[in-house]
Amino acid sequence: MWPDRRLTDLLHIDHPILQSPMAGAATAALAAEVSNAGGLGALGSAEMTPDQITSAVADLRGRTNQPFNLNFFVGDAPVTDPAVLARTRDRLRPWYATLGLGDPPETLPDLGPSFDETRLALLLDLRPAVVSFHFGLPPAPALAALKAAGILILSTATTVVEAQALEAAGIDAIIAQGYEAGGHRGSHQPTAPAQGVGTMALVPQIVDAVSLPVIAAGGIGDGRGIAAAFALGAAGVQMGTAFLSCPEAGTDPARRTLLARATETDTMMTDAVSGRSARAYRSAYATAMEATREPLPAFLQLYGLTDPMLEVGQDDVASFHLYGQAARLNRPLPATDLMRLLVAEARAVFRSLS
Ligand SMILES: Cc1cc2nc3c(=O)[nH]c(=O)nc-3n(C[C@H](O)[C@H](O)[C@H](O)COP(=O)(O)O)c2cc1C
């Protein structure tokens, strides 16, 4: 039924529907159900220790013998200018007071590079069928080692230039992530929250600029979106928000409640929580920080200041519930049923248009 079989043939899957590798929200159970239903399940491994990744992969392999994707962030060890830290602590002090917290922490976490030699060695040992990267790619020798091990490589592009750079690096398929997408923007360099191209505009321009299969991501919530992606020239889709309402997802109860009454205007793009632009539920803190933009601590280090605020649980004041603009389309179904429904809906649209 799929009008373009390049991705299904490449990944050895029945349906070109990739579940987004959502760090913190994708579970082994969710990924396995998606893979068993003919899609490509994924585990966002960016926030997991090597031991956690090893046991999650064992869990996954106990549930499925189908291909799955392990996903990692790419980036150097973050460094924050002390003056930026001091100024950000000043800006966060009133929010800490509102939330009944003490003074913001004086230091930021000391973090290494996001994807390192340990994780590369782990991947070469675990040998998932697919690995995907967010925020660019690791250095060429790491890519060469993954390729030599027969692991297929995907990465995200948010512009045509990024897609061309990914193709030149020799990866296997490109995820074109539009501005509607929930979660962090996978731009190869940090970008201001206001900067972004929607999926409808981005996908055909990337399709025209590269010869690799393109996977459309961002705001695809049902079979209509899937069919539309193929009309734009994509060979498949990656969907995250739609899977957040599945019982197998690790979605926290507060975000499930928000998703159940979501509208298309619930979310905003902000870098004031993590240090990089991400689409999440609109909070008073993010709104105020975006209205008075100033340099912020480096990506991932900023969590050292914002995590205490998120843990209080006052979602309208400060929260980081990542989801996209199409959340109103979510159906709270088991992943197997959702996959079946998505395929049936896409088939019906293809038929009605032909
Ligand atoms: C809760 C959540 C967490 C995400 N975490 C990751 C991640 O760890 N790695 C990644 O490559 N993309 C991540 N993304 C972005 C997705 O890969 C993808 O671009 C997005 O889900 C597509 O838009 P949609 O949510 O509208 O379907 C995340 C998205 C969401 C909603």
Side-chain angles (χ1 to χ4, degrees), residues 14-318:
D14 290 337
H15 305 302
I17 301 175
L18 282 63
Q19 167 240 316
S20 296
M22 302 176 280
T27 60
L30 177 66
E33 290 303 310
V34 172
S35 289
N36 284 334
L40 187 75
L43 264 185
S45 314
E47 293 169 2
M48 295 161 91
T49 64
D51 282 350
Q52 288 170 329
I53 297 169
T54 303
S55 67
V57 167
D59 187 0
L60 238 169
R61 288 202 160 121
R63 295 166 185 266
T64 185
N65 56 9
Q66 298 301 308
F68 58 82
N69 167 26
L70 294 185
N71 169 265
F72 294 85
F73 292 170
V74 180
D76 296 335
V79 183
T80 294
D81 181 337
V84 170
L85 171 59
R87 177 65 193 132
T88 308
R89 291 183 70 233
D90 290 344
R91 294 176 75 203
L92 265 58
R93 224 167 252 122
W95 296 98
Y96 268 61
T98 300
L99 294 166
L101 297 165
D103 213 34
E106 286 173 25
T107 54
L108 294 173
D110 190 12
L111 302 169
S114 299
F115 184 74
D116 55 10
E117 288 297 324
T118 307
R119 281 167 179 76
L120 175 61
L122 186 64
L123 276 177
L124 296 176
D125 184 34
L126 294 173
R127 297 199 180 221
V130 181
V131 60
S132 71
F133 294 103
H134 214 47
F135 310 125
L137 285 172
L143 293 181
L146 292 170
K147 281 168 91 84
I151 299 172
L152 295 166
I153 303 169
L154 315 178
S155 183
T156 295
T158 60
T159 62
V160 166
V161 169
E162 288 177 353
Q164 287 169 325
L166 293 179
E167 181 166 62
I171 70 166
D172 298 286
I174 293 169
I175 302 155
Q177 186 200 36
Y179 195 60
E180 300 91 322
H184 281 94
R185 289 188 55 65
S187 56
H188 299 184
Q189 296 298 323
T191 51
Q195 204 177 318
V197 183
T199 306
M200 187 87 160
L202 183 67
V203 170
Q205 295 187 70
I206 289 185
V207 166
D208 284 351
V210 298
S211 55
L212 290 178
V214 174
I215 301 154
I220 300 170
D222 61 17
R224 291 171 296 183
I226 296 171
F230 279 88
L232 297 173
V237 297
Q238 180 164 282
M239 300 169 65
T241 299
F243 286 101
L244 284 175
S245 298
C246 296
E248 299 90 342
T251 311
D252 48 294
R255 199 181 326 175
R256 281 189 194 274
T257 305
L258 293 171
L259 288 166
R261 58 175 166 80
T263 75
E264 69 282 14
T265 55
D266 279 2
T267 63
M268 64 182 290
M269 196 67 84
T270 182
D271 58 3
V273 177
S274 68
R276 278 190 85 141
S277 293
R279 182 172 293 286
Y281 178 68
R282 196 180 294 278
S283 70
Y285 163 76
T287 305
M289 292 291 279
E290 291 308 331
T292 56
R293 291 187 59 74
E294 289 185 31
L296 289 164
F299 179 50
L300 299 178
Q301 279 192 313
L302 178 53
Y303 278 131
L305 293 182
T306 55
D307 267 347
M309 294 164 41
L310 309 183
E311 278 164 21
V312 175
Q314 288 195 33
D315 295 339
D316 288 326
V317 178

